[in-house]
Amino acid sequence: KAGVTQTPRYLIKTRGQQVTLSCSPISGHRSVSWYQQTPGQGLQFLFEYFSETQRNKGNFPGRFSGRQFSNSRSEMNVSTLELGDSALYLCASGSMGLATRGELFFGEGSRLTVL
Amino acid sequence: DAKTTQPNSMESNEEEPVHLPCNHSTISGTDYIHWYRQLPSQGPEYVIHGLTSNVNNRMASLAIAEDRKSSTLILHRATLRDAAVYYCILKNDNQGGKLIFGQGTELSVKP
């Protein structure tokens, strides 16, 4: 069974640009949640999508957005990039929504560097 | 959101048991205790979770205090592959179930 796939694995952008990251969950999983990991703030929850609907959102500005497609693949977008957006962005796949006891399966992440 | 407190780092010898503590004094009755670990250069990996009773699975055991204000993740025989950052997380399914990660405990395992 294939795991969670995140693309691209590495990317470099400059301030002011925008970026789109992709996450393909495990086949059959309908929940995708996104996290930002930085050395200073650790792992922080961004948002969760379940069956194409955003069900939960963390405390991030509106520059961070996402969506989920009918095949459960998800994308997150960050507009007007700032230096502080440099981070490892992780997505997690679940067979049910976050509001269940099920375990989550994480991808290896997309490492974004903003110059 | 309820918070957890863990030691920043711990050391263990290979093939010895490891007890990783977690304090969560503000836990609510509906918070589940989840543990994830993150190996170097990888995403987090689910380890175990529980509510009130002690739990065992193939990876580890979870011992939960009677008042639920603390818990301990037990690795019965540490291997070099267990070197990772271990996160203790409170997950409230009634509040959307999002994972709120703390700083975690960095476990190093010596051969």
Side-chain angles (χ1 to χ4, degrees):
Chain A
K1 192 172 181 181
V4 178
T5 304
Q6 291 189 245
T7 56
R9 291 291 314 280
Y10 303 91
L11 67 167
I12 299 173
K13 293 283 188 179
T14 56
R15 278 180 296 175
Q17 287 187 311
Q18 66 93 28
V19 67
T20 299
L21 308 177
S22 178
C23 173
S24 292
I26 291 171
S27 178
H29 284 192
R30 294 160 64 190
S31 167
V32 174
S33 50
W34 288 88
Y35 302 81
Q36 181 196 64
Q37 185 170 28
T38 60
Q41 299 296 319
L43 270 157
Q44 294 184 282
F45 171 78
L46 279 157
F47 30 65
E48 182 211 3
Y49 286 87
F50 184 85
S51 294
E52 303 179 65
T53 301
Q54 187 182 89
R55 299 214 308 191
N56 221 332
K57 193 173 188 308
N59 297 322
F60 278 82
R63 300 185 297 107
F64 291 82
S65 63
R67 59 178 175 169
Q68 186 179 35
F69 303 96
S70 58
N71 62 359
S72 293
R73 188 178 71 86
S74 177
E75 289 181 347
M76 68 161 282
N77 183 277
V78 188
S79 62
T80 319
L81 284 167
E82 302 176 358
L83 295 179
D85 297 332
S86 294
L88 180 67
Y89 290 89
L90 291 154
C91 85
S93 155
S95 58
M96 297 172 283
L98 282 181
T100 66
R101 292 159 220 164
E103 66 183 273
L104 297 181
F105 298 85
F106 283 80
E108 293 188 309
S110 294
R111 183 165 295 282
L112 169 66
T113 301
V114 181
L115 303 177
Chain B
D1 297 317
K3 299 252 189 281
T4 63
T5 305
Q6 301 175 253
N8 288 334
S9 62
M10 290 184 65
E11 270 189 0
S12 171
N13 293 318
E14 197 176 10
E15 297 191 6
E16 290 186 355
V18 182
H19 290 233
L20 296 163
C22 180
N23 287 321
H24 28 78
S25 57
T26 59
I27 192 170
S28 74
T30 52
D31 282 332
Y32 278 79
I33 302 160
H34 285 243
W35 284 80
Y36 280 75
R37 70 180 185 181
Q38 188 171 21
L39 279 65
S41 303
Q42 294 188 25
E45 172 186 37
Y46 169 82
V47 178
I48 200 167
H49 78 275
L51 182 63
T52 56
S53 306
N54 295 344
V55 185
N56 300 297
N57 67 19
R58 63 175 178 79
M59 286 182 71
S61 295
L62 177 60
I64 301 172
E66 198 169 329
D67 63 6
R68 301 211 323 127
K69 292 185 185 301
S70 65
S71 60
T72 303
L73 179 71
I74 303 165
L75 307 179
H76 295 288
R77 289 182 69 217
T79 69
L80 297 179
R81 195 197 171 275
D82 291 323
V85 178
Y86 286 78
Y87 295 99
C88 168
I89 303 157
L90 299 183
K91 186 172 179 289
N92 192 317
D93 294 341
N94 292 336
Q95 295 176 8
K98 59 186 179 183
L99 297 180
I100 308 297
F101 287 83
Q103 292 304 308
T105 296
E106 183 169 10
L107 175 68
S108 57
V109 180
K110 296 185 290 185

